[in-house]
Amino acid sequence: MAGPTAPKDPEKKRKSFYIMRNKEVAGSPQQDGRGVQTIYLDNSRMVSFARITGGITDEEILGLLPTAEGFRKLVYSIGVTVETEDPTETTEFVMQMYGKRDPYRSGTVFQVPVKADGMENVIKLSEIGWSDDDNVPGQMRFVFEKAGTLAKVSVRLYLQDGFDVPEPEEECEADLESPEYRKMLEKSLVQTGNTLRLKRVIERAKRGEDVTVAFIGGSITQGAGAIPINTQCYAYKAFQGFCKLAGKGTEENIHYVKAGVGGTSSELGMVRYQRDVCNEGSVKPDLVVVEFAVNDEGDETKGESYDSLVNKIWLSEQQPAVVLLFSVFSDDYNLQERLGKVGKAYNLPMVSVKDCVVEQFYKKTGQGRVFSKAQFFYDVYHPSNLGHTVMADCLVQLFETVDGLPGDDTEPDLTQIAAPYGREFAGIKLLDRANVPEGVKIDCGDFTEKDEELQAVERNLDLELTRQFPDNWMHKSGSKPFVIDIVSSALLIVEKDSADPATGIAEIRVDGELVRSINPREVGWNHCNALICFRGKEKKEHHVEISMQPGDEEKQFTILGFGYVE
């Protein structure tokens, strides 16, 4: 009887660093019943992963990561670890390089089955058949057999000979019961501001009256980085904290609205507020948390959209309390200085996650650090479950603080306060294919189709995705322009950005004058984008034409809707 075959000699130990380490992921539902978690690597995300999770400071190594060529020069193999409740499950690990010709279709895609038993699986790059069209590392995906599967994953890059990095450090579990953590939370309270409306909401909730707590913002409000996204996001955790403060169970008399859309600024937020938060008037929020501090760099007005959104909410019929929340990126960036001027002018409650967490990131464990950046952030932009918990705790501390104060007798009259940036768009309304107000004339020309491939987000407590702006106008072919005649002093177009090479450039003319060209491929991914067609004009009928740029008549372009000021 033959004995066991001798195992191969182990490979030499290579230098390595993590780009993901014990991160919680969840499989978002797919049509075939499987679940997928996608982690994007492009746009310097890979470099940030290496800095934050891997602790890499070597600029040569960091400089190789953003390109496919550099990545293969640096990385010898990839170690992947997956752990689920059922160790017999198999998870598919997928890595995709974005191509030069077509980012999503012409680059290398390789997939490897990985047992979900916590053992590391090593993938040698020399065994991959690479495409000559590879441009940049694009994304990693974990594909689970069933939707909703929760897992902890790690991804480790083992390096080619000649590269040296420090050994990964062990991390201590964050203690959220410690005195140091309580001191951190205290720093998050920028100001309680005028407390009349917020205190009134809390008291009404305690009396058992129906109140609605709403959140509007970008991808962090959507819940990106939270696993699962619907119940572990900061918005739902803060909502739960509000319910606990009022002595009520969730959804008894206190109702929840989450309206976050990834990659969008307050310029789009002010257009979609009435639909996404107020559900066209059927929902009347009593408290609205506004979170755009890391999204508003893309706001063309550099502050007036945010100012207008705050005015729009504050001046609405329900007279809701407004709380301004300032989230933060992993590079310590946010727009708190810009947006905080709005809160200061109107004396609104303001909470800063940046003020709470950044200072302690640079302290040592035992000397003031409660958790590291790698623990707080899921990726370079979004918090982990821990990060979302901290954000929620910052908001709950505001609620508790205001609950303990005597309260103000009067509230600010925003109409009598000079707007820091302006409020031209405070009365903006949404117009789309299903909502065309009386008196507006539209000839859709060759923009006759409906686009079904839309940005979609998890709303409220849903795990199912809701498509944004489904009542749209899509151009596929032809030279006839889309024409709208509308009485308005300001008009914004909401258009669909896309990386699809079949997408073309559209030109916008107002009263016969070319005002802008829109290239949906500049941003490079499928999402909603609001852009100004005109503003500050006389309130009269304006003639607007949207046509494909010469040469692009056979390409696609989608008008998702418009925002207009009467």
Side-chain angles (χ1 to χ4, degrees):
M1 182 174 178
T5 303
K8 294 180 180 179
D9 290 336
E11 287 209 22
K12 69 175 183 179
K13 185 178 181 181
R14 291 183 173 275
K15 294 290 186 178
S16 65
F17 62 87
Y18 289 98
I19 56 173
M20 295 188 72
R21 188 177 186 184
N22 293 324
K23 290 294 185 184
E24 294 170 305
V25 300
S28 297
Q30 307 298 301
Q31 290 184 347
D32 62 3
R34 296 189 299 171
V36 176
Q37 174 75 60
T38 302
I39 297 95
Y40 295 97
L41 304 173
D42 58 334
N43 295 328
S44 299
R45 291 183 177 94
M46 177 81 86
V47 173
S48 296
F49 284 142
R51 287 187 190 275
I52 296 166
T53 306
I56 303 302
T57 57
D58 187 313
E59 292 299 328
E60 179 189 5
I61 290 175
L62 295 172
L64 292 170
L65 288 170
T67 67
E69 180 182 2
F71 183 82
R72 290 167 57 188
K73 180 180 178 181
L74 173 69
V75 179
Y76 176 83
S77 59
I78 303 174
V80 181
T81 306
V82 178
E83 188 171 3
T84 67
E85 287 186 355
D86 183 358
T88 65
E89 288 184 353
T90 297
T91 300
E92 194 173 77
F93 172 77
V94 183
M95 186 164 185
Q96 178 176 357
M97 294 287 173
Y98 287 166
K100 298 169 187 174
R101 295 192 311 273
D102 184 337
Y104 301 132
R105 296 183 180 91
S106 62
T108 300
V109 179
F110 63 86
Q111 48 201 43
V112 178
V114 177
K115 280 285 188 184
D117 57 3
M119 290 294 291
E120 185 177 61
N121 291 252
V122 178
I123 305 160
K124 289 184 182 179
L125 298 198
S126 60
E127 298 176 356
I128 304 297
W130 298 96
S131 167
D132 292 336
D133 195 57
D134 288 341
N135 186 24
V136 299
Q139 58 180 258
M140 301 182 296
R141 297 190 292 276
F142 292 89
V143 183
F144 301 98
E145 295 172 357
K146 295 177 291 185
T149 298
L150 302 179
K152 277 192 175 181
V153 302
S154 296
V155 178
R156 188 171 186 170
L157 303 184
Y158 289 92
L159 307 186
Q160 302 275 15
D161 293 337
F163 293 101
D164 190 23
V165 293
E167 286 295 314
E169 293 182 6
E170 293 298 321
E171 291 190 319
C172 299
E173 187 174 347
D175 183 0
L176 302 189
E177 301 297 327
S178 65
E180 290 81 6
Y181 182 62
R182 301 312 306 178
K183 291 178 182 177
M184 283 176 56
L185 293 181
E186 290 171 5
K187 293 179 181 178
S188 72
L189 185 54
V190 179
Q191 66 178 37
T192 56
N194 184 283
T195 60
L196 189 148
R197 287 195 181 186
L198 182 51
K199 194 169 180 66
R200 181 174 64 199
V201 177
I202 296 170
E203 291 172 348
R204 287 181 54 213
K206 286 182 176 182
R207 291 195 298 268
E209 297 179 30
D210 281 310
V211 301
T212 297
V213 180
F215 301 80
I216 184 170
S219 57
I220 295 176
T221 296
Q222 184 181 336
I227 307 298
I229 195 170
N230 60 337
T231 57
Q232 293 300 312
C233 62
Y234 88 83
Y236 189 65
K237 288 182 175 183
F239 169 74
Q240 288 179 307
F242 183 92
C243 292
K244 183 178 179 181
L245 176 64
K248 303 293 180 182
T250 56
E251 296 296 339
E252 287 186 9
N253 62 300
I254 308 173
H255 311 289
Y256 173 66
V257 174
K258 183 186 72 169
V261 177
T264 64
S265 70
S266 58
E267 190 168 356
L268 181 66
M270 64 183 182
V271 176
R272 65 182 181 84
Y273 175 78
Q274 192 64 25
R275 182 198 64 188
D276 287 358
V277 174
C278 301
N279 196 24
E280 300 298 350
S282 65
V283 173
K284 293 180 170 59
D286 301 277
L287 166 59
V288 182
V289 177
V290 181
E291 181 271 320
F292 284 107
V294 292
N295 284 65
D296 262 15
E297 189 58 48
D299 168 28
E300 294 175 289
T301 70
K302 302 304 178 188
E304 187 165 4
S305 295
Y306 187 82
D307 202 338
S308 294
L309 174 60
V310 169
N311 273 268
K312 184 180 186 67
I313 300 168
W314 183 269
L315 298 172
S316 59
E317 178 186 359
Q318 189 72 2
Q319 298 184 330
V322 179
V323 173
L324 307 185
L325 176 63
F326 306 129
S327 47
V328 67
F329 279 162
S330 64
D331 62 359
D332 308 336
Y333 163 89
N334 74 3
L335 288 170
Q336 182 174 330
E337 184 176 354
R338 179 204 288 178
L339 305 185
K341 292 178 181 177
V342 174
K344 288 287 185 184
Y346 303 140
N347 199 23
L348 300 177
M350 294 192 288
V351 172
S352 171
V353 182
K354 179 177 181 177
D355 290 357
C356 174
V357 302
V358 168
E359 182 182 358
Q360 65 89 45
F361 283 150
Y362 299 97
K363 295 180 179 179
K364 294 181 179 180
T365 302
Q367 298 179 15
R369 178 195 279 186
V370 178
F371 44 76
S372 68
K373 279 192 176 184
Q375 291 171 299
F376 181 86
F377 288 100
Y378 183 84
D379 59 21
V380 295
Y381 304 123
H382 307 111
S384 62
N385 277 7
L386 171 66
H388 277 278
T389 296
V390 174
M391 290 185 66
D393 286 349
C394 291
L395 286 169
V396 172
Q397 181 190 244
L398 167 67
F399 303 154
E400 292 173 344
T401 300
V402 169
D403 185 45
L405 295 174
D408 293 297
D409 296 325
T410 59
E411 63 183 42
D413 181 355
L414 268 59
T415 63
Q416 299 303 308
I417 299 172
Y421 299 105
R423 52 174 71 94
E424 179 180 359
F425 305 103
I428 200 163
K429 297 179 180 179
L430 171 65
L431 182 161
D432 62 15
R433 195 168 190 155
N435 299 282
V436 179
E438 186 177 351
V440 175
K441 300 182 288 261
I442 291 178
D443 179 351
C444 60
D446 286 322
F447 291 71
T448 56
E449 305 291 329
K450 268 194 178 183
D451 197 336
E452 301 292 337
E453 295 183 13
L454 303 170
Q455 182 178 10
V457 301
E458 300 88 352
R459 294 288 312 281
N460 306 326
L461 276 171
D462 298 336
L463 278 174
E464 294 77 19
L465 297 173
T466 298
R467 293 183 304 132
Q468 296 294 294
F469 299 95
D471 298 303
N472 55 67
W473 298 273
M474 183 182 185
H475 176 278
K476 285 189 175 180
S477 177
S479 58
K480 295 179 183 177
F482 178 98
V483 178
I484 177 170
D485 292 289
I486 184 170
V487 176
S488 178
S489 61
L491 183 73
L492 280 72
I493 182 174
V494 182
E495 53 89 20
K496 171 189 165 182
D497 285 329
S498 173
D500 192 336
T503 302
I505 297 173
E507 297 178 338
I508 299 181
R509 289 173 172 79
V510 177
D511 299 329
E513 177 185 356
L514 177 65
V515 295
R516 72 184 309 155
S517 297
I518 300 176
N519 181 0
R521 297 188 67 195
E522 280 184 0
V523 176
W525 65 289
N526 180 3
H527 91 303
C528 317
N529 195 17
L531 298 167
I532 296 171
C533 299
F534 64 83
R535 60 176 298 188
K537 285 188 174 289
E538 179 185 352
K539 183 184 174 183
K540 65 175 187 178
E541 185 172 88
H542 295 281
H543 181 78
V544 180
E545 292 189 5
I546 302 169
S547 58
M548 300 307 294
Q549 174 182 275
D552 283 1
E553 292 89 351
E554 300 306 307
K555 291 193 173 184
Q556 301 171 5
F557 186 90
T558 300
I559 302 169
L560 297 171
F562 297 92
Y564 68 100
V565 179
E566 291 179 320

